[in-house]
Amino acid sequence: LEEAAFQLQQIFRIDISIALNILGIESMRAGHCRVAFTCFKLAADRGYSKAQFNVGLCYEHGRGTEKDLEKAGFYYCQAASSCHPMAQYRYARHLLQHGPGSHRDRHHKAVALLEQAAGAGVTEAQAYLGVFYMRGLQPQEKRGLKYLQLAANSGDAQSRYHVGVCYEQGLGVQQNLAEALRHYRQSAAAGNRQARERLQQ
């Protein structure tokens, strides 16, 4: 009986958090940012990862509350620890730009989080990792190209452009100008200005 009561409490707690988060989303859409932030915060403090992510966004962009990057990082970290993919991406970016601790530790943790988010299908994380591996102190071109292709296949025009550059310059793949042109054309058709300029050249 105690176990059943505990299970009911857990379900009730989760349901309230889900309801608060939905109410927050609807309030944000209606332009009631302060109300939205309050709803997200109540759900986040109950441990609901989607709401923790939303609180992080509010603090990062100053919606419904004062802008506070440290608090944004805290809530992204909370959500990321519950395997929320977009929070993993945002927290990784936070670590690389604002995080505490040694550069090496932050870098290592951020890359691990980006890898997890990219593996979960977050296009932004795939694109970020693609460029990151291409431009690092010790470039890993094949690895970078793999992530750029994943992001490009998810519709990211900028990553499609970068894949074209890889084929044009032979980065992580054998040089192939026809393939480079194909990627540039696809990127340009999706509205990428750099790709259009490259095609003209």
Side-chain angles (χ1 to χ4, degrees):
L1 197 60
E2 281 180 17
E3 178 64 22
F6 176 75
Q7 292 293 335
L8 278 172
Q9 281 180 323
Q10 292 297 100
I11 291 166
F12 184 64
R13 196 168 138 244
I14 290 166
D15 283 350
I16 285 180
S17 299
I18 292 169
L20 283 166
N21 192 57
I22 291 168
L23 190 59
I25 291 167
E26 292 303 316
S27 297
M28 192 63 80
R29 283 184 185 146
H32 306 299
C33 297
R34 285 193 183 280
V35 173
F37 175 74
T38 301
C39 293
F40 291 145
K41 184 88 165 49
L42 285 167
D45 292 343
R46 291 171 168 269
Y48 188 51
S49 64
K50 289 182 180 180
Q52 290 166 339
F53 173 71
N54 288 331
V55 170
L57 286 174
C58 288
Y59 276 124
E60 183 178 358
H61 300 290
R63 291 188 195 138
T65 187
E66 292 291 314
K67 189 173 182 175
D68 189 325
L69 296 179
E70 195 173 318
K71 286 181 180 175
F74 172 80
Y75 280 96
Y76 287 147
C77 178
Q78 296 284 306
S81 67
S82 297
C83 297
H84 187 291
M86 274 304 288
Q88 290 170 331
Y89 167 68
R90 291 276 184 167
Y91 186 52
R93 294 281 307 264
H94 174 80
L95 282 173
L96 290 170
Q97 294 166 8
H98 314 286
S102 75
H103 174 74
R104 190 170 167 274
D105 289 345
R106 286 186 290 129
H107 182 272
H108 183 72
K109 187 170 183 178
V111 170
L113 286 165
L114 286 167
E115 293 269 5
Q116 289 175 354
V122 175
T123 305
E124 294 91 335
Q126 293 164 347
Y128 194 93
L129 274 176
V131 173
F132 178 83
Y133 282 127
M134 285 290 179
R135 293 185 179 167
L137 291 173
Q138 297 174 318
Q140 299 176 46
E141 293 169 353
K142 284 189 178 178
R143 200 167 193 178
L145 178 59
K146 179 188 94 168
Y147 282 112
L148 289 172
Q149 286 175 321
L150 284 171
N153 292 340
S154 295
D156 184 55
Q158 184 66 27
S159 292
R160 180 71 65 194
Y161 165 75
H162 286 305
V163 171
V165 171
C166 290
Y167 275 101
E168 183 181 0
Q169 297 179 6
L171 302 171
V173 70
Q174 190 172 345
Q175 190 177 34
N176 185 329
L177 296 181
E179 193 66 8
L181 279 170
R182 185 175 75 81
H183 288 287
Y184 288 146
R185 284 189 186 110
Q186 287 180 9
S187 180
N192 187 275
R193 183 180 54 80
Q194 287 176 295
R196 284 199 302 270
E197 290 172 0
R198 198 80 197 108
L199 283 169
Q200 286 171 357
Q201 292 170 6

